[in-house]
Amino acid sequence: MKMPIKMFDHHIHMTSRTTDDYQAMADAGIVAIIEPAFWVGQPRTHVGAFEDYFLSLVGWERFRSKQFGIHHFCTIGLNPKEANNPDVNDGVMELLPIYLEKESCVGVGEIGFDDQTAVETKIFEAQMQLAIDFDLPVLIHTPHRDKKAGTERTIDLVKASGIEPGRVLIDHNNEETLAATLDSGCWAGHSIYPNTKMDEGRMAALVQQFGTERITINSAADWGVSDPLKVPKTVDAMREAGISEADIETVVWHNPIAFFGQSGRLDLGPDGERPRVDQTELWEGNSVLRGQEAKIEAAVEDAAGPAE
Amino acid sequence: MTECFAEILWARVNAADGPAKTWLERVWPGGIEGAGASPTSVQFRAAFAGCARRFRDLTLQADDIRSLRDAGVLDGANWQLDNVARTALLLRALSLLPSGEQAEIVRQVYLRGDYREQAAVLQSLSFLPQPERFLELAIEACRTNVLDVFEAIACENAYPAAMFPEAAFNQMVLKAIFMAVLVGRIAGLGQRATPELKRMVIAFASERQAAGRTVPDDVDLIVNLDAA
């Protein structure tokens, strides 16, 4: 069946995912993704490890994604957990201006609170200022622990920063935080997760209750138990709940484009079509394609829909 | 001839007279009148990164492409203003540094670039002073997995044929065949087609045949080259 809706997963950590994931995402209708810089599970012990990570986000991972017909963008920032590490925090902050200039960087993020420490606050504020200086939208992570209070503190810090709230997306919302996030004028992201955060059915209910304005969803898939197909699965759940195709498309395509398009750097081609898949860009030995026949799509139009 | 890169860049931003000009005036290494970004600063590296989007809306004119060709750019028609700008920025930065510090700046910009930046560095190598200093970097670049970066050094670039030792040149040609990059795009291939290269290419063809796989047409092209 042809799936008419194009999808944009605006928060997914592909560095931790396989080529099977990329193929399944493309087949399910995902056309574009954003990979926010974040914590990689294992704590980093020196600044150079961050630099190589940022380089993979603007380099190798972007190339890998394109080979499956998916546009890849990133956001760059110092995550709140590692903002607490004195071995790296100042050094990473010094490097950020280089990576915020990169062509495929469409925002500052993900930044915010984890333990809600004084150092996290200082670095969060400094990165809000970078967003203003670089004229970039911001993707904000909200904490797992003490979430409601952490989200309220986040909103206060956003207001105090002087940034226009419409250029801020507060992510990982739930039933307890969504109303406050929307009231602040910020955008509200929802990470659909197998066990925690938010699930497909609850998300459909939230869209029915709150509508689609400034609401987005993502998989936030990473190195833990998570699912890179949560956006298409939530599309199915929204259909089952009777939400219109137009509203679904607003949530999973038009809204993330409207938000991150504020960077002026979100280049999806004239109609938001897929990048042309040419796996002759892959070769045996070192590449992600080992011995399979290369898939060359004759034209962009052929790549626009998922595999039959 | 290398002045043409800065001349083209400034001609385009002055003609547009918009935000790109304001930005370039602010980041131009050494400044327009004294001050400005130090070539060893974070600001210089950020400026190098920013070229692609800061100059996205400006296009090269036919005269610019002719000037690039005259300066020795083999595929001037495929260059965009950000390629010109990045070459101009590197030339300017090197001119402000003692000769002993120049090669390291080029290396750092290459290593810390996204793949369009890396491609721009590789395309500029022949135009930088004492280009033989960048041999190691150019050979390292051939180990990339990213097609755009590999093409930037291997294709329409005079550097490898002029500088690479035989082993590195042969590896580059073989890798081009593996990557389905047409070897006809390798500048100076005819002069570098040695018996050793032909032996490697024939061995590759034999391996392919033994595996029941197709042999690219480029194998014959190399075997039949009669230079060397």
Side-chain angles (χ1 to χ4, degrees):
Chain A
M1 178 191 114
K2 277 267 181 197
M3 197 171 303
I5 287 182
K6 283 189 253 187
M7 300 176 208
F8 193 145
D9 190 344
H10 74 79
H11 185 153
I12 185 163
H13 302 285
M14 292 311 296
T15 301
S16 306
R17 310 302 309 191
T18 65
T19 52
D20 282 356
D21 289 338
Y22 268 123
Q23 190 62 61
M25 290 161 64
D27 291 348
I30 294 173
V31 172
I33 56 178
I34 294 175
E35 178 154 10
F38 200 52
W39 155 254
V40 291
Q42 174 69 33
R44 285 166 279 209
T45 59
H46 58 108
V47 174
F50 277 86
E51 187 148 38
D52 288 342
Y53 174 65
F54 295 154
L55 283 166
S56 78
L57 298 187
V58 299
W60 178 239
E61 204 53 52
R62 197 171 190 218
F63 177 70
R64 233 165 59 101
S65 183
K66 186 177 150 208
Q67 290 170 324
F68 294 88
I70 298 177
H71 293 282
H72 183 286
F73 304 94
C74 68
T75 64
I76 294 287
L78 174 57
N79 68 80
K81 202 184 278 264
E82 290 176 293
N84 291 302
N85 180 353
D87 291 338
V88 301
N89 52 15
D90 290 343
V92 173
M93 289 300 293
E94 279 174 36
L95 287 174
L96 290 183
I98 298 169
Y99 293 93
L100 293 175
E101 277 286 351
K102 299 287 183 184
E103 192 178 10
S104 59
C105 170
V106 295
V108 174
E110 52 183 310
I111 61 173
F113 286 123
D114 179 47
D115 281 341
Q116 306 182 47
T117 64
V119 181
E120 287 174 29
T121 306
K122 185 185 85 172
I123 288 182
F124 190 174
E125 288 169 345
Q127 295 189 94
M128 292 305 292
Q129 187 58 48
L130 280 174
I132 293 169
D133 294 346
F134 280 82
D135 206 16
L136 284 170
V138 190
L139 175 68
I140 298 183
H141 164 93
T142 47
H144 306 279
R145 300 172 300 280
D146 197 14
K147 184 177 197 77
K148 194 172 177 206
T151 305
E152 285 161 5
R153 281 189 69 180
T154 298
I155 291 168
D156 290 344
L157 190 146
V158 167
K159 283 183 180 158
S161 75
I163 199 169
E164 205 266 294
R167 297 177 70 81
V168 175
L169 191 152
I170 297 178
D171 210 354
H172 318 320
N173 279 281
N174 61 25
E175 291 84 354
E176 298 268 288
T177 62
L178 177 55
T181 299
L182 289 175
D183 284 347
S184 72
C186 296
W187 293 62
H190 301 80
S191 300
I192 317 299
Y193 242 52
N195 301 313
T196 59
K197 294 189 171 82
M198 176 57 62
D199 69 28
E200 296 94 315
R202 287 161 57 204
M203 189 65 228
L206 285 175
V207 171
Q208 286 175 318
Q209 186 184 346
F210 287 87
T212 61
E213 189 185 344
R214 284 182 286 123
I215 286 183
T216 67
I217 65 169
N218 57 73
S219 71
D222 58 12
W223 29 260
V225 176
S226 51
D227 180 354
L229 298 181
K230 279 298 189 191
V231 171
K233 287 176 181 174
T234 306
V235 166
D236 291 342
M238 289 192 283
R239 280 185 181 139
E240 280 168 28
I243 297 170
S244 74
E245 292 293 297
D247 281 352
I248 295 172
E249 192 170 27
T250 298
V251 170
V252 300
W253 181 250
H254 297 301
N255 277 354
I257 290 174
F259 180 77
F260 287 100
Q262 296 180 92
S263 66
R265 307 181 188 181
L266 195 69
D267 185 0
L268 292 166
D271 303 307
E273 77 269 30
R274 290 182 183 281
R276 185 168 165 274
V277 176
D278 181 352
Q279 290 191 340
T280 58
E281 291 191 4
L282 313 165
W283 74 97
E284 58 196 88
N286 288 323
S287 91
V288 291
L289 186 80
R290 293 172 207 266
Q292 295 100 320
E293 286 305 310
K295 175 165 90 180
I296 303 173
E297 293 180 351
V300 171
E301 295 82 76
D302 295 339
E308 304 304 315
Chain B
M1 290 301 251
T2 57
E3 316 82 66
C4 84
F5 299 102
E7 286 167 9
I8 293 170
L9 171 62
W10 281 103
R12 288 304 126 240
V13 299
N14 285 330
D17 199 23
K21 182 181 177 189
T22 317
W23 181 77
L24 186 61
E25 284 174 345
R26 184 159 55 80
V27 302
W28 186 243
I32 307 299
E33 291 169 353
S38 153
T40 54
S41 65
V42 165
Q43 199 192 352
F44 174 70
R45 283 174 52 193
F48 195 82
C51 289
R53 46 186 205 82
R54 304 277 181 177
F55 302 133
R56 175 174 291 149
D57 299 333
L58 306 182
T59 45
L60 293 173
Q61 309 295 305
D63 279 353
D64 300 336
I65 292 163
R66 268 192 292 277
S67 301
L68 290 174
R69 285 196 185 130
D70 292 346
V73 175
L74 300 180
D75 61 337
N78 290 322
W79 279 43
Q80 291 172 26
L81 188 58
D82 64 330
N83 304 105
V84 175
R86 284 173 170 150
T87 305
L89 279 176
L90 279 181
L91 283 163
R92 171 75 176 172
L94 297 197
S95 75
L96 298 170
L97 287 170
S99 133
E101 294 173 26
Q102 295 176 359
E104 184 58 17
I105 287 289
V106 176
R107 188 177 138 76
Q108 288 304 324
V109 166
Y110 174 78
L111 290 177
R112 270 59 182 262
D114 63 22
Y115 48 83
R116 193 161 171 86
E117 289 174 77
Q118 293 194 326
V121 172
L122 298 171
Q123 289 167 328
S124 74
L125 291 180
S126 299
F127 308 107
L128 301 180
Q130 298 170 259
E132 65 281 3
R133 296 182 289 183
F134 309 113
L135 178 61
E136 207 176 309
L137 186 156
I139 292 173
E140 177 64 30
C142 291
R143 300 192 179 103
T144 181
N145 285 359
V146 178
L147 180 69
D148 293 356
V149 177
F150 181 75
E151 286 182 328
I153 185 67
C155 301
E156 294 94 24
N157 189 333
Y159 193 92
M163 299 286 172
F164 277 21
E166 182 180 12
F169 190 86
N170 291 353
Q171 284 293 333
M172 186 187 80
V173 174
L174 219 56
K175 182 159 172 171
I177 299 173
F178 269 80
M179 291 180 76
V181 169
L182 296 177
V183 296
R185 298 178 59 196
I186 298 173
L189 178 64
Q191 292 77 54
R192 300 292 307 256
T194 59
E196 175 64 3
L197 176 61
K198 292 183 185 182
R199 182 199 66 75
M200 291 169 79
V201 169
I202 290 166
F204 162 74
S206 162
E207 191 185 306
R208 277 288 179 102
Q209 277 159 343
R213 302 179 60 196
T214 55
V215 176
D217 295 342
D218 276 2
V219 164
D220 284 344
L221 190 152
I222 291 172
V223 172
N224 294 329
L225 283 171
D226 47 12

